[in-house]
Amino acid sequence: MSEHLATVEWSRGDQDFTGNRYSRAHDWRFDGGAVVRGSSAPSALVPTPLSDPTAVDPEEALVAALSSCHMLFFLAFAAKGGFTVDSYRDEAVGILGRDERGKTSITTVTLRPAVVFSGAQTPDGVAIDDLHHRAHSACYIANSIRAEVTIEPR
């Protein structure tokens, strides 16, 4: 199989750590050189400025990873089927709640892909549903999480 690396870096600086007054902002570094600013989601427990609302929180990252994985398989299956995709936009939503074990987790993710096709051969609704079904079945991230995933094509 394959290995996937990410480096997460955080530093306290001169902030009051034991008083719980420290920034949750940190960096995600990837092997290709990309750096993404991460943070906890701003909340009553970790308000701004201790959380950075401009950064990506882990929950958003999970939803984005799932959406991205689904899209990449969808595009591959569409190309293999002879369909030309001009654009793909997914406004995915993850819900944080209590799961069946009573643990806080992302319990559901809804993918809402809007796909624009062009060319002589465009898929009908049945073919689009099949592309999404196959993409979901093949998606590594969907196969790795416990959350219920729903696909609502637009």
Side-chain angles (χ1 to χ4, degrees):
M1 297 307 294
S2 59
E3 185 175 77
H4 304 273
L5 306 175
T7 300
V8 176
E9 293 180 332
W10 172 87
S11 177
R12 178 179 62 85
D14 62 356
Q15 298 172 354
D16 179 7
F17 187 75
T18 57
N20 204 29
R21 301 285 308 155
Y22 60 92
S23 173
R24 275 41 168 209
H26 55 278
D27 289 323
W28 299 345
R29 297 184 183 282
F30 300 95
D31 58 359
V35 178
V36 175
R37 191 70 170 157
S39 178
S40 58
S43 68
L45 296 174
V46 187
T48 303
L50 301 178
S51 288
D52 181 352
T54 66
V56 178
D57 63 65
E59 298 84 0
E60 291 170 324
L62 177 67
V63 172
L66 177 62
S67 175
S68 179
C69 184
H70 181 91
M71 178 197 70
L72 292 168
F73 276 107
F74 182 94
L75 295 176
F77 291 138
K80 190 177 281 186
F83 303 119
T84 300
V85 176
D86 287 338
S87 66
Y88 184 110
R89 177 184 171 93
D90 185 2
E91 296 181 4
V93 176
I95 303 297
L96 188 66
R98 297 253 181 229
D99 66 17
E100 71 282 355
R101 302 166 299 162
K103 301 221 179 249
T104 302
S105 67
I106 298 291
T107 57
T108 62
V109 178
T110 303
L111 305 180
R112 296 185 174 113
V115 185
V116 176
F117 296 90
S118 67
Q121 182 181 344
T122 57
D124 61 14
V126 171
I128 291 171
D129 287 346
D130 181 61
L131 290 168
H132 282 299
H133 176 75
R134 292 191 299 147
H136 179 67
S137 293
C139 174
Y140 311 136
I141 307 301
N143 291 330
S144 301
I145 64 171
R146 300 172 53 95
E148 176 188 350
V149 179
T150 305
I151 303 159
E152 298 175 355
R154 306 243 170 189

